[in-house]
Amino acid sequence: AAKVSEITVLREEHDKSVTDNEKLRLTIGELGERNKELLQQVEDERNAGRVLHVELDTLAEEKNALQEEKERVQVENRKLIDLLLEMKEKEAERMNAANDYYDNVVVNANLHAQKASSSWKDLDGEWEGLNCNDFGRPKSVKHILQSAHEGMVHTACFSNKGAYMATGGADQVIKLWDPKKGSCTSTLRGALGSVLDVKFTPDDKHVVAAGADGALRMWGVDSGRTKHTLTGHKDKVHAVSFGSSDSKKCVSGGQDRTIRIWDLTKGYCIQTIACGSTCFGVAQSQNGSFIYSGHFDGSVRIWDFRTGSLEKQLTQLHTGQISSVITSPISDRYLVTASKDNTLKVVDLVNFETVQVLESSGFRGGGVPCISPDDSTVACGSSVDGCVYMWDTKTGSVDGELKKHKSGVLACAWAPASSMIVTTDQKGDVLVWD
């Protein structure tokens, strides 16, 4: 009975162990399934994390790209603002310059009208009760300076007080003359090419010459010594000009298609203006505010002296190249242009309209003209027949002819406050008329 009882206990324990083992197997299976579910969740979470990382990296890249674009736009915006401000400033300067130009022209024109009806004071003394029209026109030759130069005499001018006359030509020298006596007072040397233009400084203490060697040179009138050699042009320098009162600066124009402004105190170029076409003539307004230039393309360009900006362009004013430009010596009212199309034109600088076209059947252009102190007469020599033609600026008709040259006339200059003019020709002769 004891063994049966023991066997019964053992069987019950065995059954219990079997039952417990079955429960354990079920529990292990459930845990395995749960483990698989958890592993799948972990994998899903990892995949989701990877996707989120990729999206985060993409968003970071987009953010960086947007930041760079923002910075680029900000920089461009600042540049545009600076450019807009600069353009507004330049436009304001241009408007101020245009207003100043108009005011100066009107003031000078009114001044000229007042001077024409009142007494004049000459630079060397008083001319009481003298009207501009009383200067008259030259009638006959006063001096014939034969072979004044060896070869062509390209240029001539009077000093601002009329005491001296200067000529320059192919012989590479400038000669100073006493126009009343017709005698040479000094010869200025140093040019390395033909002298194409010469001007006195407004104070008459120096002369500046433009040369075919690409340089300008400055001499003392009294000493005859060279003060400066101004280099910078890359080709022939065709013209030089001054304002009416500033002896410290001058303007030049050349074959290299540039206009240059020079500091004559220090002797170097302070501004270069690219003008786009060969410049054969330059002239400054009497107040020095503007530069007028004549070009190979037949156009006249007007520049602001201070800024070098182009203020106005008279496109194809002539059908041929413009050989010279000059302004009214007193009033600053008119611009006279000479061209190889065999015409001269008188331009009103108030409205920039051509008021007269000066021509004649026998006239062949290309030389340097001059205008009388009262603006009533323009004189220019013919390059073929040696005749000097004089036109009335009011009617545009030929009002006189001076015939003594034996070759083509190259340049004319009118003395201040006088009826005297000087003319030069291709054979080297210089004639003084009065």
Side-chain angles (χ1 to χ4, degrees):
K3 288 183 178 181
V4 171
S5 177
E6 184 178 354
I7 290 171
T8 300
V9 171
L10 289 171
R11 185 172 293 163
E12 289 176 354
E13 290 178 353
H14 175 70
D15 291 339
K16 184 179 178 182
S17 297
V18 171
T19 301
D20 291 340
N21 286 337
E22 186 64 28
K23 289 179 178 180
L24 287 172
R25 280 197 297 272
L26 291 173
T27 301
I28 290 171
E30 291 175 355
L31 291 173
E33 291 296 328
R34 180 60 179 165
N35 185 51
K36 288 180 181 179
E37 291 178 0
L38 292 173
L39 289 174
Q40 186 62 43
Q41 289 180 3
V42 169
E43 185 64 25
D44 291 342
E45 292 293 335
R46 285 178 178 173
N47 290 335
R50 292 191 192 98
V51 171
L52 290 174
H53 278 299
V54 172
E55 291 180 353
L56 182 62
D57 292 340
T58 301
L59 290 173
E61 291 176 357
E62 290 178 355
K63 178 184 176 183
N64 292 334
L66 290 172
Q67 185 67 29
E68 292 176 358
E69 180 67 15
K70 176 185 175 183
E71 292 175 356
R72 186 188 67 79
V73 170
Q74 287 177 338
V75 171
E76 186 175 351
N77 187 49
R78 284 194 295 268
K79 289 182 179 179
L80 288 173
I81 291 174
D82 292 340
L83 180 60
L84 180 61
L85 293 174
E86 183 180 355
M87 289 175 65
K88 286 186 176 180
E89 183 177 352
K90 287 184 177 180
E91 185 63 25
E93 290 178 355
R94 289 169 64 89
M95 289 297 295
N96 291 335
N99 291 332
D100 291 344
Y101 177 78
Y102 181 79
D103 291 342
N104 287 330
V105 169
V106 171
V107 168
N108 286 329
N110 292 334
L111 179 62
H112 172 55
Q114 293 172 4
K115 287 183 176 179
S117 60
S118 62
S119 63
W120 276 55
K121 177 180 272 190
D122 182 53
L123 292 170
D124 287 326
E126 293 185 354
W127 294 62
E128 295 182 358
L130 180 63
N131 188 286
C132 278
N133 295 321
D134 294 334
F135 294 146
R137 299 182 178 89
K139 303 296 184 182
S140 60
V141 174
K142 185 175 183 178
H143 301 293
I144 298 178
L145 310 175
Q146 289 186 335
S147 301
H149 289 263
E150 297 178 6
M152 295 182 178
V153 187
H154 296 291
T155 180
C157 71
F158 285 94
S159 62
N160 296 279
K161 294 181 179 180
Y164 292 101
M165 180 178 76
T167 58
D171 57 0
Q172 305 178 12
V173 299
I174 293 97
K175 290 188 176 182
L176 301 183
W177 307 82
D178 182 330
K180 294 180 180 179
K181 297 179 180 179
S183 59
C184 180
T185 59
S186 62
T187 300
L188 309 178
R189 304 182 186 277
L192 302 178
S194 296
V195 177
L196 302 180
D197 195 14
V198 64
K199 293 291 188 300
F200 284 88
T201 56
D203 60 12
D204 285 346
K205 293 181 180 180
H206 299 87
V207 292
V208 177
D213 60 351
L216 294 98
R217 288 176 174 81
M218 183 177 183
W219 290 267
V221 171
D222 293 333
S223 68
R225 292 194 296 267
T226 304
K227 181 178 180 180
H228 293 304
T229 297
L230 308 173
T231 58
H233 281 285
K234 306 303 180 184
D235 209 329
K236 296 178 182 178
V237 187
H238 290 290
V240 61
S241 180
F242 288 88
S244 63
S245 60
D246 190 356
S247 296
K248 297 180 180 180
K249 293 184 178 67
C250 73
V251 176
S252 63
Q255 189 82 19
D256 60 357
R257 301 180 180 181
T258 67
I259 296 168
R260 294 175 185 262
I261 301 174
W262 305 86
D263 183 324
L264 297 182
T265 302
K266 299 179 180 178
Y268 61 78
C269 178
I270 56 176
Q271 187 169 8
T272 299
I273 303 170
C275 53
S277 178
T278 298
C279 178
F280 288 102
V282 291
Q284 273 189 267
S285 59
Q286 295 299 313
N287 61 14
S289 297
F290 294 92
I291 303 168
Y292 309 104
S293 57
H295 298 271
F296 177 80
D297 61 7
S299 301
V300 166
R301 296 173 174 86
I302 302 171
W303 312 86
D304 187 305
F305 180 83
R306 294 168 298 179
T307 64
S309 60
L310 179 64
E311 295 300 313
K312 192 170 185 62
Q313 179 167 303
L314 308 180
T315 304
Q316 295 180 341
L317 182 68
H318 287 272
T319 57
Q321 77 175 43
I322 295 176
S323 56
S324 181
V325 294
I326 59 172
T327 57
S328 300
I330 302 285
S331 69
D332 218 12
R333 173 67 183 270
Y334 297 114
L335 179 74
V336 178
T337 62
S339 171
K340 289 194 173 180
D341 64 4
N342 301 323
T343 67
L344 294 90
K345 293 191 176 182
V346 181
V347 178
D348 189 326
L349 291 177
V350 173
N351 52 28
F352 301 104
E353 292 183 355
T354 300
V355 294
Q356 292 295 349
V357 178
L358 311 178
E359 55 189 340
S360 180
S361 58
F363 176 74
R364 296 294 178 268
V368 179
C370 60
I371 186 168
S372 63
D374 60 354
D375 293 347
S376 67
T377 306
V378 170
C380 189
S382 174
S383 61
V384 176
D385 60 9
C387 178
V388 178
Y389 293 81
M390 292 183 290
W391 289 270
D392 188 306
T393 55
K394 291 183 179 179
T395 65
S397 60
V398 175
D399 200 34
E401 297 180 2
L402 304 175
K403 298 181 179 180
K404 282 292 181 180
H405 281 282
K406 297 178 180 179
S407 63
V409 179
L410 297 179
C412 299
W414 207 299
S418 170
S419 62
M420 182 184 292
I421 70 169
V422 59
T423 57
T424 70
D425 66 25
Q426 298 172 359
K427 288 188 176 180
D429 296 340
V430 175
L431 275 63
V432 180
W433 309 76
D434 203 354

